[in-house]
């Protein structure tokens, strides 16, 4: 029998060939020809806070709208007729006035929260207020006049489309209360099921009145569920302010406090990316200049991080901040690429820009400070800050990108200034130019790396697998395709199309030295068509994730 199996294996191809009359495709492999060497830097990842990739995604925070700040207007806008309206400033690309605005609703302040009385009768009075700020960066808090309620009061949070827990795991939570007339009473923190039955709880004795007090505890759960709510049970007497309610699984990726989800971060680590580009993307540019990402607000105590409306339709907590990004790079042995604002907001939004020398100088200084935070020793201002935040050794920052998807002369002028200042102080940093295909490239004094983006149809990727064969041999900079994707829902077809395109990248890897797919992660509840799809209790990769893994 075994002999026969061997024979069939040996001649299997021949039998197959004889048994069907199909034309035969021939693949010739010429081992004598050498193509470009693949640089270790070739495959990386690009993370942007979009479709809840961070908050409600990679970032392990389980309470949504933890600081009651979600209704805060995007910086640089004012509320007018139900819209957040940007100042009518000229757009940097063509001097038009974009009159940018988005629909806005104050109810966002209560996003994911519900206040009700336990007996389902007369609810308490509650509102979001700035009267008792926990700190200046996060001025809003939830005020409740508990005495106005018919019975004890539940303050409940849905998390990011339900709170998921696993039997036997521990979850660390915290909250702040400012109480009036609550001294010597008990407040209960609990996880509730959909019938409002307590799954697990912990009591806290309120000891001090008339000031903000911090409470923290741990739940150990003996069930697995994905539709729980976090709740505080308060007595129906007195008045209370609540702020910064937060809960994390004790097990986070590499065990960091304020850490990342183990399963999601593990999927990214498994791609073995050589670098991580962060934090964007359009959110680096912002709806307006004021709305741009500000890394200095993304380090240190998470209670004091203000967050910002992130132009993809929700507010970022800034919890997965600059420090956490650098820590993630270190954890997965990748180089960091920090993207900074180049003095202009997104041209598809308000597009306003800064041109005064001192304002651009400040932005350049901000980028230099970011580099110092990552690389400086502890005698430097920002190196010291990094050490205070728990990491004395430098982080692996290798690249800085100036802007994102920019066009025109205004950009190039700023880019030249950034380039010079960065190289003078940090010659080892490779500077990435974000100019999209543009004649103004001639005006750039020096480019280390150029970052064009490709969002095209699957057919385009198939038909343009040779696009980089046409690059001149003496191209004076490296190419980094920072964002590419076949548009639409990834399928086997589009994944193969992207794979075909990547063969062209690899064939020309002496010129195209880096590449990263975009966007990386989606929360299924906020769904789009991204590489990794997650829910509160699971994550999977689409077919193109596996293309990249191969
Ligand atoms: O990946 C989503 C967006 O697409 C990025 O923020 C931007 O750079 C590109 O236009």
């Amino acid at each position: 029998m075994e002999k026969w199996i061997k024979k069939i294996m040996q001649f299997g191809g021949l039998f197959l060939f004889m048994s069907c009359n199909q034309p035969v495709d021939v693949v010739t492999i010429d081992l004598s020809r050498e193509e470009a060497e693949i640089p270790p830097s070739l495959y990386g990842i690009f993370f942007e806070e979009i479709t809840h990739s961070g908050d409600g995604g990679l970032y392990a925070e389980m309470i949504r709208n933890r600081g009651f700040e979600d209704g805060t207007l995007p910086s640089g806008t004012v509320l007018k007729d139900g819209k957040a309206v940007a100042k009518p400033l000229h757009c940097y690309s063509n001097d038009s006035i974009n009159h940018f605005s988005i629909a806005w609703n104050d109810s966002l302040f209560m996003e994911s929260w519900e206040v009700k009385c336990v007996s389902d009768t007369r609810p308490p009075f509650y509102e979001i207020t700035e009267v008792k700020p926990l700190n200046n960066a996060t001025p809003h808090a939830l005020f409740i006049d508990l005495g106005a309620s018919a019975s004890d009061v539940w303050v409940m949070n849905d998390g990011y489309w339900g709170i998921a827990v696993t039997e036997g795991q521990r979850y660390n939570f915290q909250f702040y209360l400012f109480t009036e007339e609550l001294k010597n009473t008990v407040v209960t923190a609990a996880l509730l099921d959909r019938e409002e039955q307590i799954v697990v709880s912990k009591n806290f004795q309120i000891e001090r009145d008339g000031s903000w007090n911090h409470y923290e505890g741990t739940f150990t759960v003996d069930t697995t569920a994905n539709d729980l709510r976090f709740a505080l049970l308060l007595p129906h007497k007195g008045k209370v302010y609540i702020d910064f309610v937060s809960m994390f699984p004790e097990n986070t990726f590499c065990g960091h406090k304020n850490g990342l989800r183990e399963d999601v971060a593990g999927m990214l680590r498994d791609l073995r990316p050589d670098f991580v580009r962060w934090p964007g993307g359009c959110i680096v540019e912002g709806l307006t200049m004021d709305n741009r990402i500000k890394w200095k607000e993304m380090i240190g105590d998470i209670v004091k991080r203000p967050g910002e409306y992130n132009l993809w339709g929700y507010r970022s907590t800034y919890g997965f901040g600059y420090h956490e990004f650098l820590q993630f790079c270190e954890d997965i042995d990748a180089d960091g690429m920090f993207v900074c604002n180049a003095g202009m907001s997104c041209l598809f939004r308000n597009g306003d820009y800064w041109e005064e020398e001192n304002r651009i100088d400040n932005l350049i200084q901000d980028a230099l400070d970011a580099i110092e935070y990552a690389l400086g020793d502890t005698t430097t201002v920002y190196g010291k800050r990094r050490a205070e935040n728990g990491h004395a050794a430098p982080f692996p920052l290798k690249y800085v990108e100036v802007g994102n998807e920019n066009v025109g002369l205004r950009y190039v002028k700023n880019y030249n200034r950034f380039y010079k200042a960065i190289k003078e102080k940090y010659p080892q940093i490779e500077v990435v130019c974000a100019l999209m295909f543009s004649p103004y490239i001639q005006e750039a004094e020096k480019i280390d790396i150029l970052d064009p983006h490709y969002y095209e149809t699957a057919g385009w990727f198939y038909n343009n697998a040779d696009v980089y064969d046409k690059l001149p041999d003496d191209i004076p900079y490296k190419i980094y395709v920072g964002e590419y994707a076949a548009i639409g829902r990834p399928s086997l077809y589009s994944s193969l199309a992207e794979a075909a395109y990547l063969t062209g990248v690899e064939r020309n890897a002496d010129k195209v030295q880096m590449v990263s797919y975009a966007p990386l992660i989606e929360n299924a509840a906020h769904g789009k068509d991204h590489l990794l799809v997650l829910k509160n209790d699971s994550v999977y990769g689409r077919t193109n994730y596996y293309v990249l893994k191969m």
Side-chain angles (χ1 to χ4, degrees):
M1 181 66 175
E2 204 179 313
K3 207 167 96 199
W4 274 107
I5 292 175
K6 269 196 191 144
K7 267 203 183 323
I8 290 170
M9 303 258 289
Q10 201 171 353
F11 295 109
L14 187 61
F15 288 145
L16 199 65
F17 178 73
M18 287 179 352
S19 61
C20 51
N21 259 344
Q22 300 296 320
V24 176
D25 286 329
V26 177
V27 175
T28 309
I29 299 172
D30 180 354
L31 293 176
S32 68
R33 247 183 79 184
E34 272 187 31
E35 298 289 347
E37 204 170 305
I38 306 288
S41 65
L42 190 61
Y43 288 105
I45 55 177
F46 161 46
F47 177 91
E48 179 173 27
E49 178 66 72
I50 181 172
T51 50
H52 286 278
S53 53
D55 292 322
L58 177 63
Y59 184 47
E61 173 62 82
M62 302 172 90
I63 307 294
R64 186 167 176 193
N65 190 15
R66 64 188 178 189
F68 300 97
E69 300 294 334
D70 275 20
T72 307
L73 284 168
S75 299
T77 68
V78 291
L79 190 61
K80 211 171 156 196
D81 304 329
K83 288 182 176 159
V85 180
K87 279 191 205 122
L89 297 169
H90 291 268
C91 178
Y92 83 89
S93 61
N94 59 7
D95 286 314
S96 63
I97 295 185
N98 293 351
H99 294 290
F100 184 78
S101 68
I102 45 170
W104 199 259
N105 190 330
D106 250 15
S107 66
L108 284 170
F109 275 121
M110 285 299 286
E111 174 67 65
S112 299
W113 288 100
E114 187 185 348
V115 178
K116 59 177 278 197
C117 77
V118 173
S119 63
D120 254 335
T121 49
R122 197 178 67 245
F125 170 79
Y126 67 90
E127 65 180 0
I128 298 294
T129 174
E130 292 186 54
V131 169
K132 296 239 183 299
L134 181 59
N135 57 62
N136 293 337
T138 64
H140 299 98
L142 172 64
F143 166 77
I144 313 177
D145 183 353
L146 298 160
S149 174
S151 65
D152 290 354
V153 173
W154 281 128
V155 180
M156 299 183 284
N157 186 282
D158 277 328
Y160 292 94
W161 299 280
I163 289 177
V165 294
T166 306
E167 186 182 347
Q169 296 295 308
R170 288 157 62 85
Y171 299 87
N172 299 326
F173 63 89
Q174 58 171 313
F175 56 94
Y176 285 81
L177 286 189
F178 185 113
T179 61
E180 285 168 12
E181 308 149 45
L182 272 196
K183 200 173 171 187
N184 297 328
T185 51
V186 168
V187 165
T188 302
L191 292 178
L192 305 183
D193 65 18
R194 285 288 136 179
E195 277 72 52
E196 285 165 23
Q197 297 303 304
I198 293 178
V199 172
V200 61
S201 67
K202 194 169 168 62
N203 290 340
F204 293 88
Q205 181 77 31
I206 304 299
E207 271 150 16
R208 276 200 304 143
D209 235 357
S211 58
W212 279 110
N213 289 302
H214 183 229
Y215 301 88
E216 57 188 338
T218 299
F219 293 136
T220 305
V221 294
D222 59 6
T223 183
T224 294
N226 63 6
D227 60 352
L228 303 185
R229 289 202 263 187
F230 180 92
L232 293 174
L233 179 63
L234 304 158
H236 60 296
K237 64 169 190 182
K239 296 181 175 118
V240 67
Y241 296 83
I242 302 173
D243 208 346
F244 201 82
V245 185
S246 167
M247 184 166 83
F248 279 77
E250 193 155 274
N251 290 337
T252 55
F253 187 65
C254 295
H256 300 295
K257 244 183 136 186
N258 190 44
L260 308 180
R261 262 175 63 170
E262 268 192 313
D263 55 349
V264 185
M267 291 282 281
L268 297 178
R269 178 208 48 216
D270 291 352
L271 287 174
R272 292 193 285 134
D274 187 70
F275 62 88
V276 183
R277 177 177 183 243
W278 180 97
C282 295
I283 69 170
V284 167
E285 307 171 82
L287 295 174
T288 64
M289 271 303 282
D290 290 342
N291 177 251
R292 74 193 184 280
I293 282 264
K294 301 173 195 89
W295 74 268
K296 285 180 184 161
E297 296 176 356
M298 304 172 96
I299 53 172
D301 187 357
I302 54 171
V303 180
K304 295 185 183 146
R305 297 190 196 179
E308 179 61 85
Y309 181 82
N310 77 24
L311 78 61
W312 296 117
Y314 59 96
R315 192 173 180 83
S316 303
T317 61
Y318 276 3
F320 177 49
Y322 187 49
H323 188 96
E324 291 74 22
F325 147 68
L326 292 167
Q327 182 64 64
F328 181 54
C329 291
E330 182 181 276
D331 289 343
I332 62 169
D333 197 19
D335 290 320
M337 180 186 295
F338 171 65
V339 187
C340 63
N341 182 289
M344 43 212 49
S345 70
C346 179
L347 66 94
F348 298 113
R349 278 80 176 193
N350 210 39
D352 55 299
Y353 63 98
W354 291 353
E355 58 184 348
E356 302 86 340
E357 289 247 321
N358 63 328
R359 291 181 109 182
I360 303 301
D361 285 346
N362 288 343
L363 289 176
I364 294 172
Q365 189 56 49
D366 203 58
L368 294 174
D369 293 344
I371 303 172
E372 186 173 286
Y373 187 89
L375 304 181
D377 65 43
T378 51
T379 61
T380 62
V381 175
Y382 285 98
K384 182 163 174 265
R385 190 76 70 80
R386 182 192 66 239
E388 286 161 3
N389 291 337
H391 200 284
F395 278 125
L397 183 75
K398 185 167 175 189
Y399 311 93
V400 170
E401 180 162 5
V402 180
N404 173 66
E405 290 188 352
N406 294 117
V407 299
L409 201 51
R410 283 192 176 112
Y411 168 75
V412 182
K413 277 187 176 164
N414 291 355
Y415 163 83
N416 284 338
R417 294 183 58 193
F418 272 85
Y419 185 92
K420 191 161 173 284
I422 293 171
K423 284 293 192 183
E424 255 168 35
K425 192 151 186 212
Y426 298 101
Q428 75 273 36
I429 289 284
E430 295 196 47
V431 180
V432 183
C433 175
L435 193 63
M436 297 307 279
F437 306 100
S438 155
Y440 294 107
I441 199 152
Q442 310 296 345
E443 307 298 325
E445 280 155 23
K446 180 91 180 58
I447 295 178
D448 297 340
I449 303 174
L450 184 72
D451 174 13
H453 296 170
Y454 299 81
Y455 291 102
E456 305 284 353
T457 61
W460 184 92
F461 280 98
Y462 260 128
N463 294 324
N464 287 279
D466 62 350
V467 64
Y468 303 118
D469 296 345
K470 297 162 197 158
L471 284 174
D473 280 338
D474 57 350
I475 187 162
Y477 39 76
K478 296 193 264 186
I479 303 271
Y480 161 43
V481 181
E483 301 180 29
Y484 77 90
I487 46 186
R489 166 94 3 129
S491 60
L492 188 56
Y493 173 73
S494 69
S495 304
L496 290 172
E498 287 167 4
Y501 162 80
L502 291 173
T503 63
V505 167
E506 293 193 353
R507 194 167 49 251
N508 293 282
D510 50 340
K511 295 165 205 149
V512 187
Q513 298 212 352
M514 302 164 76
V515 62
S516 49
Y517 180 89
L520 190 63
I521 303 174
E522 74 182 62
N523 185 309
H526 210 254
K528 256 298 189 160
D529 302 312
H530 303 166
L531 201 71
L532 283 186
V533 188
L534 60 84
K535 292 187 179 163
N536 57 8
D537 61 351
S538 56
V539 56
Y540 69 87
R542 294 194 195 273
T543 40
N544 48 0
Y545 170 85
Y546 291 96
V547 165
L548 287 172
K549 206 164 169 199
M550 278 191 274

